[in-house]
């Protein structure tokens, strides 16, 4: 179904390394890497030649073990980290013709504030814990140019209600909330400017099972109601199975398998994906 539409986000040959690299790990020498690590210069190749597309109203799952590069990929897309090389194009930004990674810091701020929403695994990265929940959402709206206090307060209440934060707790600081409530406030903040693309990084990790189920139901409902595109990173195949239309599997910074989620999980082709799937059985 998606091939009849233009992708809303296209990423081509994204690379991110931590370290300068050396003759032993660059170019054709990459076979000397241990996983994605160079034992000679200690460079880590966190993302290696990552290319992907995401289509309107699609959820793309990214699965892999800890250290596979999946969270680094999201942070590069959200400009939390500079990439080493690569291209990215957003359909609603400059007609999808301009590489977002080459834009100025001012333009990157615009993209973060208008076109992306981000929900971090650690709510302390996405929220100001000593601001009220309403204040957190207002901060995101101010960053996108809003100045009308009544509008911002109304928008914050509308979103917090959508994520099931009770009225009487909306002016409370997230530092007083449970982990599940903090994630719900993060989701409300990420949605404040109606971004076309939502990035979710391990949003259920560390939550009790019943709380996980509530957060996953909320994500699914939001995607259905708002027709928003999402990239969902998780090491939990159960989360990916529930949410994702298509899935990519990462190992040592590379995509080793991709396809429709049912296809990847029911008939895995790569030995690592087979190991991942069968460990659940």
């Amino acid at each position: 179904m998606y091939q009849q539409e233009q992708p809303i986000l296209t990423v081509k040959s994204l690379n991110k390394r931590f370290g300068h690299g050396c003759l032993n790990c660059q170019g054709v020498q990459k076979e000397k890497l241990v996983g994605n690590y160079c034992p000679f210069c200690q460079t880590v190749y966190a993302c290696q030649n990552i290319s992907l597309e995401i289509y309107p109203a699609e959820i793309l799952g990214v699965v892999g073990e800890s250290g596979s590069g999946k969270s680094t990929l999201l942070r590069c897309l959200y400009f939390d980290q500079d990439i080493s090389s690569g291209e990215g194009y957003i359909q609603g930004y400059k007609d999808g013709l301009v590489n977002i990674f080459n834009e100025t810091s001012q333009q990157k701020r615009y993209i973060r504030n208008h076109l992306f929403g981000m929900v971090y695994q650690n709510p302390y990265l996405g929220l100001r814990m000593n601001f009220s929940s309403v204040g957190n959402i207002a901060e995101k709206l101010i960053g996108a140019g809003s100045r009308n206090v009544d509008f911002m307060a109304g928008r914050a209440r509308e979103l917090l209600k959508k994520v099931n934060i009770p009225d009487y707790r909306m002016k409370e600081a997230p530092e007083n909330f449970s982990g599940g409530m903090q994630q719900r406030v993060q989701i409300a903040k990420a949605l404040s400017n109606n971004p076309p693309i939502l990035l979710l990084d391990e949003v259920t990790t560390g939550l009790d099972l019943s709380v996980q189920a509530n957060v996953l139901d909320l994500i699914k409902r939001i995607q259905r109601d708002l027709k928003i595109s999402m990239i969902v990173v998780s090491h939990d195949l159960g989360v990916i199975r529930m949410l994702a239309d298509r899935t990519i599997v990462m190992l040592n910074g590379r995509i080793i398998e991709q396809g429709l989620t049912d296809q990847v999980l029911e008939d895995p082709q790569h030995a690592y994906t087979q190991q991942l799937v069968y460990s659940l059985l």
Side-chain angles (χ1 to χ4, degrees):
M1 62 178 284
Y2 299 113
Q3 278 60 31
Q4 297 169 4
E5 302 177 87
Q6 289 295 315
I8 193 168
L9 171 67
T10 302
V11 175
K12 297 180 180 178
S13 302
L14 185 149
N15 291 282
K16 172 62 179 176
R17 72 170 186 258
F18 295 95
H20 298 294
C22 66
L23 292 175
N24 291 296
C25 64
Q26 291 180 324
V28 294
Q29 297 296 320
K30 279 199 174 179
E31 64 268 17
K32 294 192 176 180
L33 292 178
V34 178
N36 61 350
Y37 171 77
C38 175
F40 299 94
C41 68
Q42 286 78 55
T43 294
V44 175
Y45 289 83
C47 291
Q48 302 188 64
N49 203 31
I50 300 294
S51 295
L52 59 85
E53 294 175 333
I54 180 167
Y55 292 85
E58 178 188 29
I59 299 182
L60 178 68
V62 184
V63 70
E65 63 190 24
S66 180
S68 62
K70 55 194 189 303
S71 292
T72 299
L73 169 62
L74 280 204
R75 292 193 176 200
C76 287
L77 290 176
Y78 198 57
F79 308 122
D80 282 340
Q81 294 175 340
D82 292 329
I83 66 168
S84 302
S85 63
E87 301 171 45
Y89 303 93
I90 300 174
Q91 188 182 2
Y93 181 73
K94 297 187 177 180
D95 298 321
L97 300 175
V98 173
N99 181 2
I100 61 173
F101 297 118
N102 287 344
E103 290 290 76
T104 63
S105 57
Q106 183 181 4
Q107 288 302 115
K108 286 177 178 176
R109 264 197 310 276
Y110 172 87
I111 294 167
R112 273 174 68 116
N113 284 328
H114 291 86
L115 302 177
F116 283 131
M118 177 73 163
V119 181
Y120 295 91
Q121 175 181 348
N122 181 352
Y124 280 78
L125 296 175
L127 297 173
R128 292 186 184 270
M129 286 295 173
N130 56 349
F131 279 28
S132 69
S133 299
V134 169
N136 268 281
I137 293 172
E139 180 190 37
K140 179 83 170 173
L141 290 166
I142 290 167
S146 292
R147 294 295 179 266
N148 185 308
V149 174
D150 288 340
F151 166 76
M152 289 189 286
R155 179 67 174 151
R157 287 183 176 281
E158 171 196 340
L159 286 165
L160 290 167
K161 191 172 182 180
K162 185 183 279 288
V163 300
N164 303 321
I165 302 296
D167 278 355
Y168 68 92
R169 302 201 72 177
M170 289 182 183
K171 291 189 176 178
E172 204 173 330
E175 64 187 358
N176 298 331
F177 290 172
S178 66
M181 285 181 74
Q182 289 174 350
Q183 291 298 50
R184 299 207 304 271
V185 175
Q186 259 209 105
I187 291 168
K189 183 176 182 178
L191 292 171
S192 57
N193 293 317
N194 294 314
I197 303 165
L198 192 61
L199 309 173
L200 300 112
D201 184 15
E202 298 276 14
V203 292
T204 59
T205 299
L207 301 179
D208 291 341
L209 285 177
S210 60
V211 180
Q212 281 189 32
N214 289 336
V215 171
L216 292 174
D217 284 342
L218 172 64
I219 292 167
K220 199 71 177 167
R221 176 162 54 81
I222 286 168
Q223 195 273 336
R224 186 178 63 243
D225 293 348
L226 302 180
K227 302 291 188 285
I228 194 169
S229 300
M230 298 184 182
I231 300 179
V232 178
V233 158
S234 182
H235 67 276
D236 186 337
L237 285 180
V239 169
I240 296 299
R241 186 188 293 275
M242 178 177 174
L243 294 179
D245 302 299
R246 285 189 302 120
T247 294
I248 63 177
V249 183
M250 289 186 67
L251 179 66
N252 295 328
R254 298 181 183 276
I255 295 176
I256 57 165
E257 187 161 353
Q258 58 186 310
L260 295 173
T261 300
D262 287 347
Q263 172 192 329
V264 169
L265 298 185
E266 298 298 333
D267 187 24
Q269 300 300 303
H270 192 279
Y272 171 73
T273 316
Q274 291 171 0
Q275 180 184 339
L276 209 60
V277 170
Y278 298 151
S279 69
L280 284 184
L281 300 179

